[in-house]
Amino acid sequence: MSIFKYIPKNIQGYSMNNIFAVYYHEKVIDHYENPRNVGSLDKTDKRVGTGLVGAPACGDVMKLQIKVRDIQVDEQGRIEDAKFKTFGCGSAIASSSLATEWVKGKTIDEALQLKNTDIAKELCLPPVKLHCSMLAEDAIKAALSDYRIKQQNAQKELEEVNNTKMNE
């Protein structure tokens, strides 16, 4: 794995798996080795919101996307799908993966209630890695904001079309 590229092959008799386990909790390792919901959604779809956030200090970048069910099908507008792409450390990848799992099935308001502290607690992130869970929270909020803006624009377009038809 590329994460091991800069770590010496053997440090005081520990294998690479032992060294990785010393720095990362098993939940982080699981999400890193088996990330959930990796990929992209169609950003031109009006039901898709995209959040792109980064941390210049460490170089982590997250793109998180949500797809909301059509309001005509689900009045509450629950999130039916979520995808992510992350360039960063194991904790950043794990935070993104967990965030996409947690937002699925939630309403927009429920998803807005997810906090970085919840993500950090679930993944047992050490203080030095808390910025990864903060990025995940920011990515969720950015995706939801993008979705809301698209919905407002779609509503304005619909109103303009209706006004044009009424004036004919």
Side-chain angles (χ1 to χ4, degrees):
M1 292 186 183
S2 62
I3 198 162
F4 300 126
K5 188 163 45 172
Y6 301 107
I7 301 175
K9 295 288 183 210
N10 190 327
I11 299 177
Q12 298 179 12
Y14 287 95
S15 71
M16 291 311 298
N17 289 337
N18 288 342
I19 292 168
F20 192 60
V22 168
Y23 292 111
Y24 292 96
H25 189 273
E26 64 188 31
K27 291 179 181 180
V28 173
I29 295 169
D30 180 42
H31 277 277
Y32 174 77
E33 290 180 347
N34 307 293
R36 284 66 148 182
N37 308 306
V38 174
S40 294
L41 299 169
D42 179 6
K43 66 181 179 182
T44 62
D45 186 336
K46 292 179 182 170
R47 296 184 304 134
V48 172
T50 302
L52 182 63
V53 296
C58 67
D60 292 342
V61 178
M62 286 182 190
K63 179 179 89 169
L64 189 142
Q65 295 178 296
I66 52 107
K67 184 174 185 177
V68 179
R69 284 191 195 117
D70 193 329
I71 299 295
Q72 295 171 346
V73 174
D74 180 358
E75 285 182 18
Q76 295 181 320
R78 293 192 180 275
I79 297 169
E80 69 179 12
D81 200 4
K83 299 285 184 190
F84 82 94
K85 287 188 177 179
T86 296
F87 176 80
C89 66
S91 296
I93 293 166
S95 295
S96 304
S97 175
L98 182 65
T100 59
E101 283 192 313
W102 280 4
V103 298
K104 283 185 178 181
K106 292 196 178 339
T107 65
I108 293 168
D109 290 335
E110 290 169 344
L112 281 170
Q113 299 305 312
L114 293 176
K115 300 293 178 210
N116 71 295
T117 52
D118 300 326
I119 294 168
K121 185 176 180 180
E122 177 67 21
L123 294 173
C124 303
L125 295 178
V128 72
K129 293 295 182 179
L130 291 181
H131 67 280
C132 297
S133 62
M134 290 178 202
L135 276 178
E137 179 184 342
D138 291 345
I140 292 168
K141 288 180 178 177
L144 293 170
S145 175
D146 182 55
Y147 168 77
R148 284 189 164 158
I149 289 168
K150 283 183 177 180
Q151 293 304 301
Q152 290 169 354
N153 290 342
Q155 184 64 34
K156 286 178 187 176
E157 289 174 13
L158 183 61
E159 289 171 4
E160 288 174 8
V161 168
N162 288 338
N163 287 339
T164 303
K165 286 182 180 179
M166 291 176 77
N167 292 334
E168 291 178 354

